[in-house]
Amino acid sequence: ARASFAGALRDAESAPVVLGAAAAELGLGKIDRCLRLCLQVLRRADAARWRPAALVVRGAATLLSDEGSQAVEILREALRLDPDGAAPKATLRAALRVVKRRKEARDLATKRSFADAAAAYDRLLADDLAGAGAALDGFPALAVLAARSPLYARCRAERGTCRLRTGDADAALKDCAAALYVVDDLVDAHLCRANALRALGRHAEARKHLKDIIDESWGGSDVRVKHAFEQADFDLRRTKRPDYYALLNCRQVSSEREIKGAYHAQSLLHHPDRHATAPPEVQKAEAEVFKRLGEALDILGDPQKRELYDKGFDKEAIHAKLEAAKRASQNHSCSGGGGCGGCG
């Protein structure tokens, strides 16, 4: 349709041809081009004659760009100018239904009724944004035009978030993929996708996905993306850290005394002197275990370090946090008056 209207535009610029081209652009998701063509009609010398039709196309484009209230105003003006027109009536009815259903779905999500919200998005997407419909006065139904629109993409991302909150991470990934196919810089869809990957235990993929977004000019300054990346990085490092409790053969609720006793027992079993006559590969393996046992005692034998470990931090992050806390304490002491003591 776009190619056909483009050919017609080269030969003539009649209002019906321009509006047909605008509708074709809208169906391809080219909302800015659609709005420019509508404006071209509205600026014509005979604009009054074509104003209702141009406003219908413009109202549909505004709705599909996710500006529902403004779209309703535009479509009401179109109906005022052409009260008997089939296209203004039908498009306004469709717009009002979309705005109402979107609000209902969002309200349910705000109330944390995520299963009900996902069902509400199901109805909105199936009936209003991805369905079929007959053309009226030569203008396609909204449902026919919506599948490549920002509104459709955001509704898919919002449904994906609801599905994720109900525990269906796989379905959330599908929604996010559909949303990003239409709007590739939709941050909410990227965040939902990363959270779904984390929920599935695919932490390396989540981290890489968020790192790729940060490297993009539009994503690097988004605070939500940076925070999500830090969380994904934390998750990945937590999965890679050694299980010090298992290494010492003790439980997470073990006392400090029990941990030190477990270390003593395990260190005797894996001490390098005990394996001095073993094959080289065995000596190397036992030396590595003995080294890990020392790390385990260093972390679990210290209350502060153990608390951080139990929260998910790895050895490097634990030492970094404690060092940062130490520097902050020193800076506070130096700025509190009375001299810096040992600082200098």
Coordinates of all heavy atoms in Angstrom, one line a residue, residues 15-78:
A15 N -5.9 15.1 -1.8 CA -6.0 14.8 -0.4 C -6.3 13.3 -0.1 O -5.6 12.7 0.8 CB -7.1 15.6 0.2
P16 N -7.2 12.6 -0.9 CA -7.4 11.2 -0.6 C -6.1 10.4 -0.8 O -5.8 9.4 0.0 CB -8.4 10.8 -1.6 CG -9.2 12.0 -2.0 CD -8.1 13.1 -1.9
V17 N -5.3 10.7 -1.8 CA -4.0 10.0 -2.0 C -3.1 10.2 -0.8 O -2.4 9.3 -0.3 CB -3.4 10.4 -3.3 CG1 -2.0 9.8 -3.5 CG2 -4.2 10.0 -4.5
V18 N -3.0 11.5 -0.4 CA -2.0 11.8 0.7 C -2.5 11.1 2.0 O -1.7 10.6 2.7 CB -2.0 13.3 0.9 CG1 -1.1 13.7 2.1 CG2 -1.4 14.0 -0.3
L19 N -3.8 11.1 2.2 CA -4.3 10.5 3.5 C -4.1 9.0 3.4 O -3.9 8.3 4.4 CB -5.8 10.8 3.7 CG -6.0 12.3 4.1 CD1 -7.5 12.6 4.2 CD2 -5.3 12.6 5.4
G20 N -4.3 8.4 2.2 CA -4.0 7.0 2.0 C -2.6 6.6 2.3 O -2.3 5.6 2.9
A21 N -1.7 7.5 1.8 CA -0.3 7.3 2.1 C 0.0 7.4 3.6 O 0.8 6.6 4.2 CB 0.6 8.3 1.3
A22 N -0.7 8.3 4.3 CA -0.5 8.5 5.7 C -1.0 7.3 6.5 O -0.3 6.8 7.4 CB -1.3 9.7 6.2
A23 N -2.1 6.7 6.1 CA -2.6 5.5 6.7 C -1.6 4.3 6.5 O -1.4 3.5 7.4 CB -4.0 5.1 6.2
A24 N -1.0 4.2 5.3 CA 0.0 3.2 5.0 C 1.2 3.3 5.9 O 1.7 2.4 6.4 CB 0.3 3.2 3.5
E25 N 1.7 4.6 6.0 CA 2.8 4.8 6.9 C 2.5 4.4 8.4 O 3.3 3.9 9.1 CB 3.2 6.3 6.9 CG 3.7 6.8 5.5 CD 5.1 6.2 5.2 OE1 5.7 5.5 5.9 OE2 5.6 6.6 4.1
L26 N 1.3 4.7 8.8 CA 0.9 4.4 10.1 C 0.9 2.9 10.3 O 1.3 2.4 11.4 CB -0.5 5.0 10.4 CG -1.1 4.8 11.8 CD1 -0.2 5.4 12.8 CD2 -2.5 5.5 11.9
G27 N 0.4 2.2 9.3 CA 0.4 0.7 9.4 C 1.8 0.1 9.5 O 2.0 -1.0 10.1
L28 N 2.8 0.8 9.0 CA 4.2 0.4 9.1 C 4.9 0.9 10.3 O 6.1 0.6 10.6 CB 5.0 0.9 7.9 CG 4.6 0.3 6.5 CD1 5.2 1.0 5.4 CD2 5.0 -1.2 6.5
G29 N 4.1 1.6 11.2 CA 4.7 2.1 12.4 C 5.5 3.4 12.2 O 6.1 3.9 13.2
K30 N 5.3 4.1 11.1 CA 6.1 5.3 10.8 C 5.1 6.5 11.2 O 4.6 7.2 10.3 CB 6.5 5.4 9.3 CG 7.2 4.2 8.8 CD 8.6 4.1 9.6 CE 9.4 2.9 9.0 NZ 10.6 2.7 9.7
I31 N 5.0 6.7 12.4 CA 4.0 7.7 12.9 C 4.4 9.1 12.6 O 3.6 9.9 12.2 CB 3.8 7.5 14.5 CG1 3.1 6.2 14.7 CG2 3.0 8.7 15.1 CD1 3.0 5.8 16.2
D32 N 5.7 9.4 12.7 CA 6.1 10.8 12.3 C 5.8 11.1 10.9 O 5.3 12.2 10.5 CB 7.6 11.0 12.6 CG 7.9 11.0 14.1 OD1 7.0 11.3 14.9 OD2 9.1 10.8 14.4
R33 N 6.0 10.2 10.0 CA 5.7 10.4 8.5 C 4.2 10.5 8.4 O 3.8 11.4 7.6 CB 6.2 9.2 7.7 CG 7.7 9.1 7.7 CD 8.1 7.9 6.8 NE 9.6 7.7 6.8 CZ 10.2 6.7 6.1 NH1 9.5 5.8 5.5 NH2 11.5 6.6 6.2
C34 N 3.5 9.7 9.1 CA 2.0 9.8 9.0 C 1.5 11.2 9.4 O 0.7 11.8 8.7 CB 1.4 8.7 9.9 SG -0.4 8.9 10.0
L35 N 2.0 11.7 10.5 CA 1.6 13.0 11.0 C 2.0 14.1 10.1 O 1.3 15.1 9.9 CB 2.2 13.2 12.4 CG 1.6 12.3 13.5 CD1 2.4 12.5 14.8 CD2 0.2 12.7 13.8
R36 N 3.2 14.0 9.4 CA 3.6 15.0 8.5 C 2.6 15.1 7.3 O 2.3 16.1 6.8 CB 5.0 14.8 8.0 CG 6.1 15.2 9.0 CD 7.4 15.3 8.4 NE 7.9 14.1 7.8 CZ 8.6 13.2 8.5 NH1 8.9 13.4 9.8 NH2 9.1 12.1 7.9
L37 N 2.2 13.9 6.8 CA 1.3 13.9 5.7 C -0.1 14.4 6.1 O -0.7 15.1 5.3 CB 1.2 12.4 5.2 CG 2.4 11.9 4.4 CD1 2.3 10.4 4.2 CD2 2.6 12.6 3.1
C38 N -0.5 14.1 7.3 CA -1.8 14.7 7.8 C -1.7 16.2 7.8 O -2.7 16.9 7.4 CB -2.1 14.2 9.2 SG -2.6 12.4 9.2
L39 N -0.6 16.7 8.3 CA -0.4 18.2 8.4 C -0.4 18.8 7.0 O -0.9 19.9 6.8 CB 0.9 18.5 9.1 CG 1.2 20.0 9.4 CD1 0.1 20.5 10.3 CD2 2.5 20.1 10.1
Q40 N 0.1 18.1 6.0 CA 0.2 18.5 4.6 C -1.3 18.7 4.1 O -1.6 19.7 3.5 CB 0.9 17.5 3.8 CG 1.0 17.9 2.3 CD 1.7 16.8 1.5 OE1 2.7 16.2 2.0 NE2 1.3 16.6 0.3
V41 N -2.2 17.8 4.5 CA -3.6 18.0 4.1 C -4.2 19.1 4.8 O -5.0 19.9 4.2 CB -4.3 16.6 4.3 CG1 -5.8 16.8 4.0 CG2 -3.8 15.5 3.4
L42 N -4.0 19.2 6.1 CA -4.6 20.3 6.9 C -4.2 21.7 6.5 O -4.9 22.6 6.8 CB -4.3 20.0 8.4 CG -5.0 18.8 9.0 CD1 -4.4 18.5 10.4 CD2 -6.5 18.9 9.0
R43 N -3.1 21.8 5.8 CA -2.6 23.1 5.4 C -3.0 23.4 3.9 O -2.7 24.5 3.4 CB -1.1 23.1 5.5 CG -0.6 23.2 6.9 CD 0.9 23.2 6.9 NE 1.5 23.4 8.3 CZ 2.8 23.2 8.6 NH1 3.6 22.8 7.7 NH2 3.2 23.5 9.8
R44 N -3.8 22.6 3.3 CA -4.2 22.8 1.9 C -5.2 24.0 1.9 O -5.9 24.3 2.9 CB -4.9 21.6 1.4 CG -3.9 20.4 1.1 CD -4.7 19.1 0.8 NE -5.5 19.3 -0.4 CZ -5.2 18.9 -1.6 NH1 -4.0 18.3 -1.8 NH2 -6.0 19.0 -2.6
A45 N -5.3 24.5 0.7 CA -6.3 25.6 0.5 C -7.7 25.1 0.7 O -8.6 25.8 1.2 CB -6.2 26.2 -0.9
D46 N -8.0 23.8 0.4 CA -9.3 23.3 0.5 C -9.4 22.4 1.8 O -10.0 21.3 1.8 CB -9.7 22.5 -0.7 CG -8.7 21.3 -1.0 OD1 -7.6 21.4 -0.4 OD2 -9.1 20.5 -1.8
A47 N -8.6 22.8 2.8 CA -8.5 21.9 4.0 C -9.8 21.6 4.7 O -10.0 20.5 5.2 CB -7.5 22.6 5.0
A48 N -10.7 22.6 4.6 CA -12.0 22.4 5.4 C -12.7 21.1 4.9 O -13.3 20.4 5.7 CB -12.9 23.6 5.2
R49 N -12.6 20.9 3.6 CA -13.3 19.7 3.0 C -12.7 18.4 3.6 O -13.5 17.4 3.8 CB -13.2 19.8 1.5 CG -13.9 18.5 0.8 CD -13.7 18.6 -0.7 NE -14.2 17.5 -1.4 CZ -14.0 17.2 -2.7 NH1 -13.4 18.1 -3.4 NH2 -14.5 16.1 -3.2
W50 N -11.4 18.4 3.7 CA -10.7 17.1 4.1 C -10.3 17.1 5.6 O -9.7 16.1 6.0 CB -9.4 17.0 3.2 CG -9.7 17.0 1.8 CD1 -9.5 18.0 0.9 CD2 -10.4 15.9 1.1 NE1 -9.9 17.6 -0.4 CE2 -10.5 16.4 -0.3 CE3 -10.9 14.7 1.4 CZ2 -11.1 15.6 -1.3 CZ3 -11.5 13.9 0.4 CH2 -11.6 14.4 -0.9
R51 N -10.7 18.1 6.3 CA -10.2 18.2 7.7 C -10.7 17.0 8.5 O -10.0 16.4 9.3 CB -10.7 19.5 8.3 CG -10.2 19.7 9.8 CD -10.5 21.1 10.3 NE -10.0 21.3 11.6 CZ -8.7 21.6 11.9 NH1 -7.9 21.8 10.9 NH2 -8.4 21.8 13.1
P52 N -12.0 16.6 8.5 CA -12.5 15.4 9.3 C -11.6 14.2 9.0 O -11.2 13.5 9.9 CB -13.9 15.3 8.9 CG -14.3 16.6 8.4 CD -13.1 17.2 7.7
A53 N -11.4 13.9 7.7 CA -10.7 12.7 7.4 C -9.2 12.8 7.9 O -8.7 11.8 8.4 CB -10.7 12.4 5.9
A54 N -8.6 14.0 7.7 CA -7.2 14.1 8.2 C -7.2 14.0 9.7 O -6.2 13.4 10.2 CB -6.7 15.5 7.7
L55 N -8.2 14.5 10.4 CA -8.2 14.4 11.9 C -8.3 13.0 12.3 O -7.8 12.6 13.4 CB -9.2 15.3 12.4 CG -9.0 16.8 12.4 CD1 -10.2 17.6 12.9 CD2 -7.7 17.2 13.1
V56 N -9.1 12.2 11.6 CA -9.2 10.8 11.9 C -7.9 10.1 11.9 O -7.5 9.3 12.8 CB -10.3 10.1 11.0 CG1 -10.2 8.5 11.2 CG2 -11.7 10.6 11.3
V57 N -7.2 10.3 10.8 CA -5.8 9.7 10.6 C -4.9 10.2 11.7 O -4.2 9.4 12.3 CB -5.3 9.9 9.2 CG1 -3.9 9.2 9.1 CG2 -6.2 9.4 8.1
R58 N -4.9 11.5 11.9 CA -4.1 12.1 12.9 C -4.4 11.6 14.3 O -3.5 11.3 15.1 CB -4.2 13.6 12.9 CG -3.2 14.3 13.8 CD -3.4 15.8 13.7 NE -2.5 16.5 14.6 CZ -2.6 17.8 14.9 NH1 -3.5 18.6 14.3 NH2 -1.7 18.4 15.7
G59 N -5.7 11.5 14.6 CA -6.1 10.9 15.9 C -5.6 9.5 16.1 O -5.2 9.1 17.2
A60 N -5.8 8.7 15.1 CA -5.3 7.3 15.2 C -3.8 7.2 15.4 O -3.3 6.5 16.2 CB -5.7 6.5 13.9
A61 N -3.1 8.1 14.7 CA -1.6 8.1 14.9 C -1.2 8.6 16.3 O -0.3 8.0 16.9 CB -1.0 9.1 13.8
T62 N -1.9 9.5 16.8 CA -1.7 10.0 18.2 C -1.9 8.9 19.2 O -1.2 8.8 20.1 CB -2.5 11.3 18.4 OG1 -2.2 12.3 17.4 CG2 -2.2 11.9 19.8
L63 N -3.0 8.2 19.0 CA -3.4 7.1 19.9 C -2.3 6.0 19.9 O -1.8 5.6 20.9 CB -4.7 6.5 19.6 CG -5.1 5.3 20.4 CD1 -5.5 5.7 21.8 CD2 -6.3 4.5 19.8
L64 N -1.9 5.7 18.7 CA -0.9 4.6 18.5 C 0.5 5.0 19.0 O 1.4 4.2 19.1 CB -0.9 4.1 17.1 CG -2.2 3.4 16.7 CD1 -2.1 2.9 15.3 CD2 -2.6 2.3 17.6
S65 N 0.7 6.3 19.1 CA 2.0 6.8 19.7 C 1.9 6.8 21.2 O 2.8 7.3 21.8 CB 2.4 8.1 19.1 OG 1.4 9.1 19.5
D66 N 0.8 6.3 21.8 CA 0.6 6.2 23.2 C 0.3 7.6 23.9 O 0.8 7.9 24.9 CB 1.8 5.6 23.9 CG 1.4 5.0 25.3 OD1 0.2 4.9 25.5 OD2 2.3 4.7 26.0
E67 N -0.5 8.4 23.2 CA -1.0 9.6 23.7 C -2.5 9.6 23.7 O -3.1 10.3 22.9 CB -0.4 10.8 23.0 CG 1.1 10.9 23.1 CD 1.7 12.1 22.3 OE1 1.0 13.1 22.2 OE2 2.8 11.9 21.8
G68 N -3.1 8.8 24.5 CA -4.5 8.5 24.4 C -5.5 9.7 24.6 O -6.4 9.9 23.8
S69 N -5.2 10.5 25.6 CA -6.1 11.6 25.9 C -6.1 12.6 24.8 O -7.2 13.1 24.4 CB -5.7 12.3 27.2 OG -5.8 11.4 28.3
Q70 N -4.9 12.9 24.3 CA -4.9 13.8 23.1 C -5.6 13.3 21.9 O -6.2 14.0 21.2 CB -3.4 14.2 22.8 CG -3.2 15.2 21.8 CD -1.8 15.5 21.5 OE1 -0.9 15.1 22.2 NE2 -1.5 16.2 20.4
A71 N -5.4 12.0 21.7 CA -6.0 11.3 20.5 C -7.5 11.4 20.6 O -8.2 11.7 19.6 CB -5.6 9.9 20.5
V72 N -8.1 11.2 21.8 CA -9.6 11.3 22.0 C -10.1 12.7 21.6 O -11.1 12.9 21.0 CB -10.0 10.9 23.4 CG1 -11.4 11.2 23.7 CG2 -9.7 9.4 23.6
E73 N -9.3 13.7 22.1 CA -9.7 15.1 21.7 C -9.7 15.3 20.2 O -10.7 15.9 19.7 CB -8.8 16.1 22.4 CG -8.9 16.1 23.9 CD -7.9 17.1 24.6 OE1 -7.3 17.9 23.8 OE2 -7.7 17.1 25.8
I74 N -8.7 14.8 19.6 CA -8.6 15.0 18.1 C -9.8 14.3 17.4 O -10.4 14.9 16.5 CB -7.3 14.5 17.6 CG1 -6.1 15.4 18.1 CG2 -7.2 14.5 16.0 CD1 -4.8 14.8 17.8
L75 N -10.1 13.1 17.8 CA -11.1 12.3 17.2 C -12.5 12.9 17.5 O -13.4 12.8 16.7 CB -11.0 10.9 17.6 CG -9.8 10.1 17.1 CD1 -9.6 8.8 17.8 CD2 -9.9 9.9 15.6
R76 N -12.7 13.5 18.7 CA -14.0 14.1 19.0 C -14.2 15.4 18.1 O -15.3 15.7 17.6 CB -14.0 14.5 20.4 CG -14.4 13.4 21.4 CD -14.3 13.8 22.8 NE -14.9 12.7 23.6 CZ -14.6 12.5 24.9 NH1 -13.7 13.3 25.5 NH2 -15.1 11.4 25.6
E77 N -13.1 16.1 17.8 CA -13.2 17.2 16.8 C -13.5 16.7 15.5 O -14.3 17.3 14.7 CB -11.9 17.9 16.8 CG -11.8 19.1 15.8 CD -12.8 20.2 16.1 OE1 -13.4 20.2 17.2 OE2 -12.9 21.1 15.2
A78 N -13.0 15.6 15.0 CA -13.3 15.0 13.7 C -14.8 14.6 13.7 O -15.5 14.9 12.7 CB -12.5 13.7 13.5

